[in-house]
Amino acid sequence: MNPHQTPSAEIFTNRLPIQIRFSDVDVIGHVNNIIFLQYYDTGKAAFMTELLGRSISWYEVDVVVANIDCAFIAPIFFQEKIEVLTACTFIHDKSFKLLQMLRNSETGEVKSICETVMVSFDPDTQKVAPLKEEWREKLSKIIIDKPF
């Protein structure tokens, strides 16, 4: 992932406004870097809820995070209007990749980009499993071919 090469906002299939909490901000007025990952998780949950057309059941885990590659491009400040954008860029037998971006929703300034590999998971065996057909079918309808 190249942080100097950011995707166009138009490619993303899911957008979610993020509320910045006072506790997200560090002593110098920036949102702490670790909080960016929380914003991305919130975006992933919204993306999956919209994709599957139902609430996520935390008792039926079938995909988990395997890898996160996050580039911090610009600081986020307390009063900014921030949104997280999410899209699927790759589907494999047992995994898929999400591309996400944090940006100022008023100015369009990109604050961060992130790629996450999600792996299909069988909680009974605690091992990677083939991607369920529901995931494959729905992701294949919205996958983007060329993110940059």
Side-chain angles (χ1 to χ4, degrees), residues 8-103:
S8 168
E10 288 74 38
I11 68 162
F12 292 90
T13 56
N14 185 275
R15 296 167 188 256
L16 181 71
I18 296 293
Q19 179 181 1
I20 300 173
R21 301 163 301 192
F22 181 76
S23 61
D24 295 348
V25 180
D26 61 24
V27 71
I28 57 174
H30 302 130
V31 169
N32 188 288
N33 286 7
I34 196 67
I35 302 299
F36 282 48
L37 297 178
Q38 292 178 8
Y39 295 166
Y40 283 129
D41 281 347
T42 301
K44 279 192 268 305
F47 172 84
M48 291 176 192
T49 297
E50 183 178 308
L51 177 75
L52 299 175
R54 58 181 160 78
S55 295
I56 296 170
S57 171
W58 303 113
Y59 301 105
E60 299 173 16
V61 175
D62 56 356
V63 294
V64 295
V65 173
N67 186 58
I68 297 175
D69 183 7
C70 182
F72 300 98
I73 297 168
I76 297 174
F77 298 95
F78 183 63
Q79 297 297 327
E80 284 190 86
K81 302 287 186 212
I82 297 296
E83 64 182 348
V84 59
L85 296 87
T86 307
C88 179
T89 61
F90 181 81
I91 306 169
H92 197 263
D93 295 339
K94 298 178 181 178
S95 64
F96 58 93
K97 186 183 288 185
L98 297 179
L99 175 65
Q100 294 183 283
M101 181 167 64
L102 287 172
R103 72 177 198 146

Side-chain angles (χ1 to χ4, degrees), residues 97-115:
K97 186 183 288 185
L98 297 179
L99 175 65
Q100 294 183 283
M101 181 167 64
L102 287 172
R103 72 177 198 146
N104 182 304
S105 59
E106 295 177 331
T107 68
E109 180 186 11
V110 176
K111 303 296 185 162
S112 173
I113 55 174
C114 179
E115 288 182 325

